[in-house]
Amino acid sequence: EVQVVESGGGLVQPGGSLRLSCAASGFTFSSYAMSWVRQAPGKGLEWVSAISGSGSSTYYADSVKGRFTISRDNSKNTLYLQMNSLRAEDTAVYYCAKCNRGNSAYNAIDYWGQGTLVTVSS
Amino acid sequence: EIVLTQSPGTLSLSPGERATLSCRASQSVTSSYLAWYQQKPGQAPRLLIYGASSRATGIPDRFSGSGSGTDFTLTISRLEPEDFAVYYCQQYGSSPFTFGPGTKVDIK
């Protein structure tokens, strides 16, 4: 059974940093691209970032480019999102998600975690 | 960046009725890399359709997707009680891989 489980969310002050982790199981992790998608309270989905299965290609939304870094450790079946210079508007539930067809990030998302809440507030 | 617009914002229908949801892109979506997701309150989204018209694993055949270029449609042929939810389209043909704002399908 495919599972992706996020951790690392919490309360952080504006300008602070946080690193999210996502533990994956039930599939060959290195063979699939992965994504982060967020959802602010009561709002719609916002795509944040994606990474190819090998980790060689990364992609970012304009709203987080230069502040967030996506990475993966295929030996640990774990995806990361390093978030720096956090702003109030980054407050959201952050979902870790698996892409549905192989190594490329140019794919739909077929499995989602339950999300981890990040709150940016003083 | 490709901007996706979904209409209507809210669709009020009764069980058994047909639902037609629209997703329009600000520029052509590469290779019809367009997906549809369903989200219920308190739950993660679920993939319904990818590649504009391919049903994901386990999705009932009352859900169908169509379209190409800049205009895409999700059709639910006969609404079941469990289908009342918010539906999002996403394009993944061009980074950033943007989502539309969603269409809420609620019970009339």
Side-chain angles (χ1 to χ4, degrees), chain A residues 39 44 47 105-107 109 112-113, chain B residues 37 39 44-45 47 88 92 96-97:
Chain A
Q39 188 167 34
W47 177 83
Y106 291 82
N107 275 298
I109 292 168
W112 303 66
Chain B
Y37 303 88
Q39 188 179 34
L47 176 65
Y88 295 94
Y92 52 93
F97 305 134

Side-chain angles (χ1 to χ4, degrees), chain A residues 9-93:
Chain A
L11 175 64
V12 61
Q13 292 189 337
S17 297
L18 211 56
R19 187 175 85 155
L20 305 182
S21 299
C22 171
S25 61
F27 62 101
T28 304
F29 183 67
S30 60
S31 295
Y32 291 90
M34 299 290 293
S35 293
W36 289 99
V37 177
R38 69 185 181 185
Q39 188 167 34
K43 303 297 185 183
L45 301 173
E46 181 186 11
W47 177 83
V48 173
S49 183
I51 186 168
S52 62
S54 64
S56 60
S57 299
T58 58
Y59 309 84
Y60 296 95
D62 290 346
S63 59
V64 307
K65 198 174 294 183
R67 300 188 299 123
F68 290 12
T69 302
I70 191 172
S71 62
R72 63 193 297 159
D73 185 335
N74 286 345
S75 68
K76 295 182 178 179
N77 288 356
T78 303
L79 175 73
Y80 303 100
L81 186 67
Q82 177 67 44
M83 304 185 295
N84 299 331
S85 303
L86 283 161
R87 306 166 180 167
E89 54 265 35
D90 295 318
T91 294
V93 171

Side-chain angles (χ1 to χ4, degrees), chain B residues 27-89:
Chain B
Q27 53 190 281
S28 185
V29 176
T30 304
S31 302
S32 294
Y33 282 174
L34 192 287
W36 290 93
Y37 303 88
Q38 176 194 69
Q39 188 179 34
K40 298 179 181 179
Q43 296 184 17
R46 176 174 73 144
L47 176 65
L48 300 174
I49 301 288
Y50 64 94
S53 60
S54 297
R55 265 188 304 276
T57 302
I59 301 303
D61 60 7
R62 64 179 181 273
F63 291 92
S64 63
S66 63
S68 63
T70 60
D71 289 300
F72 299 88
T73 300
L74 174 70
T75 302
I76 310 170
S77 59
R78 288 179 57 86
L79 282 163
E80 297 288 340
E82 63 267 28
D83 298 337
F84 292 92
V86 180
Y87 294 83
Y88 295 94
C89 58

